[in-house]
Structure formats: C-alpha cells, structure tokens
Amino acid sequence: TCYLSGFGNELSSEDPRCPGALPEGQNSPQVCPYGLYAEQLSGSAFTCPRPANKRSWFYRILPSVKHKPFTAVPSGNLTENWNEVEPDPNQLRWLPFTIPKSTEKKGLHTVCGAGDAKSRNGIGIHMYTCNTSMVDRCFNNSDGDFLIVPQQGEILITTEFGKMMVEPNEICVIQQGMRFSVDVFGETRGYILEVYGAHFELPDLGPIGANGLANPRDFLCPVAWYEDRKVATGYTVINKYQGKLFACQQDFSPFNVVAWHGNYTPYKYNLKNFMVINCVAFDHADPSIFTVLTAKSTRPGVAIADFVIFPPRWGVADHTFRPPYYHRNCMSEFMGLIHGHYEAKEEGFQPGGASLHSMMTPHGPDAECFEKNSTAELKPERVAEGTMAFMFESSFSMAVTKWGLQTCQRLDKSYYQCWEPLRSHFNPNWKPSKP
C-alpha cells in the first residue's frame, strides 16, 4: 500500500484511475471534473488560527448527505455513563481481554473514561475485540478522535481518504467525523483512546531541539482510492453521537472519494521509528520523554491525554534504581501491553491486558523487581527488548465502567498482592560509606 508522508501536512491525492480529478485553482467549481461533488470536512472552527486550522476537501461521486434518517441502535458495551458503578480508587489490572467466538458479542467495550462529549471535553478508553470484518458497514465518530493501538491481528482500515494497513506495533488515528470500515484476518484485539474536543499533535521538544521522539516524516497518510459501488441491500453508516450509536441506510458505498486535498486526514505511525531519549548519567527520567502524541488541554503543559510508549532502549544510569520509581500522580495512568514483558512487572501484566492507576493511587515496581534491581550489577543493558508497553495518561480522574469492573470478568483481584512482599530495609544505624 502506498502512503503520503508527514504530520499535519497540506496534502493532495487523486485516484490514478481519474487523473485531473482535483480542481485547479479553487475548491468548489461550478462543475467539478468528472462530474464529482465537492464536500468539505472541517476538523476545526473556520476561524481557528492558521496553525490549528484543520479541513479537507473531498471530490466524490455522491455527497455524504444522501442517506435515510438516523435511528438509535443498541450501543452494547460502548458507553459514556461514568456513574454506572461506585468509584474504585484501587490499583486495577486486567487479564487479557477475551476475544469473542463468532456467535458472541463483538466490537467496542468501554473500560473507563471521564468528561462529556456534549461539552467537547473528556476521554474514553475502549477495547476492541472481533473476528469478523465489517461488510457494507462503516463507522463515524461525531464525538471525537480515535487513537487505535492494535495488539493482536492486523487491521485493514478503509477510509474516505484511502486504505491503511495497520499492524501490531503500529498505531493509527481516525479523526472526528471520518468514516471508516475495518477488515480483520482472524482473531483481533486492541486498545482505543478517544478524545473529545482536541486533536492529537506532536509534543513540543523544548531543549531536545529540532529532532527526536516521533519525527513528522514517519507519519503516513493514505492515498486516494474509490469504489463506485451500489448496494441494493443497503449500506449502513453507524454514527457515534453524544455517546450513543445511531444508524442510517444508503444505497451506495461511502468510500467514493476520487480525489482529496487538505490537512485533516487519518494517519498511521510505526512505533519502531520512535527516536528514544533516555538518561545517560544517573536517575530515572520522567516518562514524558516517551510521549508520541498529545491532546492538549487549555492549561499549558497539561494534557487531556498523552500517548506514551516504553520501547526497547539502553539503560546505562550509574548508582541508580533503573526501573520506574514508586509514584503517586495527579494524572491517571492506563497501561496496555502489545507484546513482551513490562520491566516493572514481568509477571501478571500480559499482552492484551491492561492496568489503571488512578489519580493519586500509589503504584510502582513489584517486590521482585525492587529486590532484583536494588542489588543488580549496573552495567549497560538493553531494556524492554522484544517488548512494547504503552500508557494513556490523562489529567481527568477516570471512572471505570460496569463492563470494566464486572461484566468482562477479566479483573485481576489479586493484583495488590504483588506489593505485599515489600519489606522494610530501614537501618537506623546506617552510616555513609567512606570515600
């Protein structure tokens, strides 16, 4: 599959079957080339400052307005009700989420979240589990952006902009209002971070300089591809709107965009391209140095959500406890594991599972990790080789859904026991060693 390169770039693409489909010199001519319709997709208010202004123009066979009325459909385990169950401030860990059999409920399952889609401020964290592709169906999120993290099974995402193949160890972002359909090739599972009211952007680099972390050139956008396909039995558009699902019918494929241009696109990124920065002297640097993407709040330096990874890297810090430190955080930390073993908890935290350390809930290395790394010989070593863990970190105090706490039946109620063996090493007679 071919892609266009760059993050937030002004891009254009034509399906090669229709050369010259993009109008010259204007967006909305009286008659578009090939008899197409011009349609704008706005990802920001018209009057946003230029650096934040997001929009794209489609040139399509039929406009998206041609559909029957939307009607409510069951939302399953997808929810924005953060008051289903009482709050739970405990450290939470989930065993790998179950992928359903062909006859069981599949799709999106909300684990936790906060805020409100109506007021355009908040987040939702979902698991997707499925084993069948979407046939003559597409999804449209009117509430916010989806950051999708495949964990098992590659997914082929068809969008109005073109196609993207996304494999485990890659991520993709489908921004608000973009219609997409997913093909899978067997049992498939992954994580979704949804943000309302902000778009993901690259974090500022500050004194790091002009290069580093996720470099813009490594983000890939699809190239134009269309199908002119009538669907006599009806094509279903699923719309997530104000936390609920609605469906409408139309008699044609929505993937009928022959050409497009703009800076509001879906995109994907391979996590192996992340340029890792780490401590090379002493102490454990804060995990913000591993931020791939951020959705900023209105408060400087405070994110609605950050997407952070813990990639393979070198650990070389001298006279330092190298794993993550013990921590209480004013942010909420949801972690997932794509593959491998997370360094601070090599047992129990499994690929396809998750953990949530809520606002000000203590967390840190388990007892085995502490004992081993307090006495380890400190020589240069590879950390997280063959592993990719990640974190959705948010300034929101997230509520866990009934599905997350009860229905999924994957909550590991023995999680707290990994810290039980921690013992006191306090010695009131300790004296500093002589130089």
Side-chain angles (χ1 to χ4, degrees):
T1 305
C2 295
Y3 297 97
L4 303 169
S5 170
F7 187 88
N9 289 9
E10 194 73 36
L11 301 170
S12 63
S13 184
E14 295 176 340
D15 189 303
R17 291 171 287 178
C18 295
L22 282 170
E24 291 188 12
Q26 65 180 119
N27 293 322
S28 189
Q30 185 177 22
V31 179
C32 291
Y34 295 94
L36 298 170
Y37 287 85
E39 177 179 304
Q40 183 175 199
L41 177 65
S42 291
S44 65
F46 293 144
T47 50
C48 272
R50 224 168 241 250
N53 209 301
K54 304 292 182 186
R55 58 86 186 95
S56 286
W57 281 89
F58 294 136
Y59 300 93
R60 58 193 315 153
I61 296 167
L62 280 170
S64 55
V65 73
K66 181 178 164 61
H67 65 81
K68 298 292 193 292
F70 282 104
T71 56
V73 296
S75 297
N77 295 315
L78 184 70
T79 184
E80 197 193 284
N81 181 359
W82 310 129
N83 299 303
E84 290 180 313
V85 289
E86 289 298 306
D88 188 340
N90 287 300
Q91 302 94 348
L92 301 177
R93 181 169 71 188
W94 289 269
L95 301 171
F97 292 95
T98 305
I99 301 174
K101 304 302 179 187
S102 58
T103 57
E104 296 174 347
K105 182 71 177 175
K106 57 186 77 72
L108 295 175
H109 313 276
T110 306
V111 181
C112 56
D116 176 40
K118 296 188 190 76
S119 59
R120 312 291 297 117
N121 190 33
I123 67 168
I125 293 175
H126 318 281
M127 293 298 300
Y128 70 84
T129 55
C130 56
N131 49 39
T132 54
S133 299
M134 298 170 67
V135 178
D136 292 339
R137 297 167 72 84
C138 73
F139 193 90
N140 170 82
N141 187 357
S142 297
D143 290 340
D145 293 11
F146 275 167
L147 187 156
I148 302 173
V149 185
Q151 185 273 320
Q152 178 177 323
E154 60 189 6
I155 53 176
L156 176 61
I157 302 180
T158 301
T159 76
E160 294 167 285
F161 296 81
K163 294 174 178 279
M164 298 187 296
M165 182 68 82
V166 189
E167 302 176 1
N169 220 51
E170 294 183 314
I171 62 164
C172 71
V173 172
I174 309 291
Q175 303 193 77
Q176 181 189 12
M178 297 177 179
R179 296 182 172 182
F180 68 98
S181 184
V182 178
D183 287 311
V184 301
F185 308 91
E187 294 190 340
T188 305
R189 177 174 56 205
Y191 310 83
I192 296 178
L193 170 61
E194 180 184 17
V195 294
Y196 318 136
H199 297 303
F200 290 101
E201 53 189 283
L202 295 174
D204 296 324
L205 294 180
I208 292 173
N211 306 285
L213 308 187
N215 288 308
R217 64 176 293 195
D218 293 322
F219 288 82
L220 302 177
C221 304
V223 296
W225 176 88
Y226 76 91
E227 59 179 8
D228 184 11
R229 183 166 66 89
K230 291 288 185 181
V231 186
T233 54
Y235 195 103
T236 304
V237 178
I238 306 292
N239 182 13
K240 181 178 181 290
Y241 175 76
Q242 294 187 3
K244 305 286 188 182
L245 294 184
F246 298 82
C248 73
Q249 297 292 311
Q250 56 189 51
D251 62 0
F252 62 95
S253 167
F255 306 119
N256 63 357
V257 176
V258 177
W260 60 266
H261 75 85
N263 64 352
Y264 188 56
T265 69
Y267 54 88
K268 74 169 196 167
Y269 175 76
N270 193 319
L271 301 179
K272 73 177 176 57
N273 292 325
F274 189 81
M275 196 275 263
V276 185
I277 288 175
N278 204 7
C279 172
V280 296
F282 61 88
D283 276 353
H284 184 97
D286 294 330
S288 47
I289 60 168
F290 301 133
T291 302
V292 180
L293 292 168
T294 183
K296 294 179 179 177
S297 75
T298 55
R299 290 177 288 164
V302 179
I304 293 174
D306 286 328
F307 174 62
V308 178
I309 62 173
F310 301 96
R313 58 199 183 275
W314 282 99
V316 298
D318 290 326
H319 45 85
T320 293
F321 182 75
R322 289 179 178 176
Y325 40 72
Y326 293 98
H327 194 202
R328 289 183 295 163
N329 196 353
C330 65
M331 309 281 275
S332 301
E333 302 180 18
F334 179 95
M335 286 194 63
L337 185 60
I338 300 171
H339 54 79
H341 301 276
Y342 180 56
E343 60 186 297
K345 296 181 186 67
E346 294 194 4
E347 302 297 329
F349 186 46
Q350 301 173 43
S355 69
L356 175 64
H357 298 142
S358 295
M359 199 167 281
M360 291 302 172
T361 294
H363 55 279
D366 61 23
E368 181 182 353
C369 176
F370 179 84
E371 296 295 339
K372 183 173 78 171
N373 286 278
S374 296
T375 57
E377 181 185 357
L378 293 180
K379 55 186 178 182
E381 62 179 343
R382 291 291 289 169
V383 178
E385 197 66 59
T387 291
M388 186 61 75
F390 68 88
M391 178 167 64
F392 299 150
E393 185 175 59
S394 175
S395 58
F396 282 88
S397 183
M398 290 192 286
V400 184
T401 62
K402 184 177 180 181
W403 184 86
L405 283 176
Q406 300 170 13
T407 312
C408 73
Q409 297 184 335
R410 304 306 290 163
L411 195 64
D412 180 0
K413 295 183 179 178
S414 67
Y415 183 28
Y416 73 96
Q417 294 175 2
C418 74
W419 294 288
E420 290 288 288
L422 287 169
R423 57 191 176 89
S424 172
H425 294 272
F426 177 62
N427 177 6
N429 299 313
W430 177 85
K431 297 288 190 295
S433 55
K434 294 181 180 178

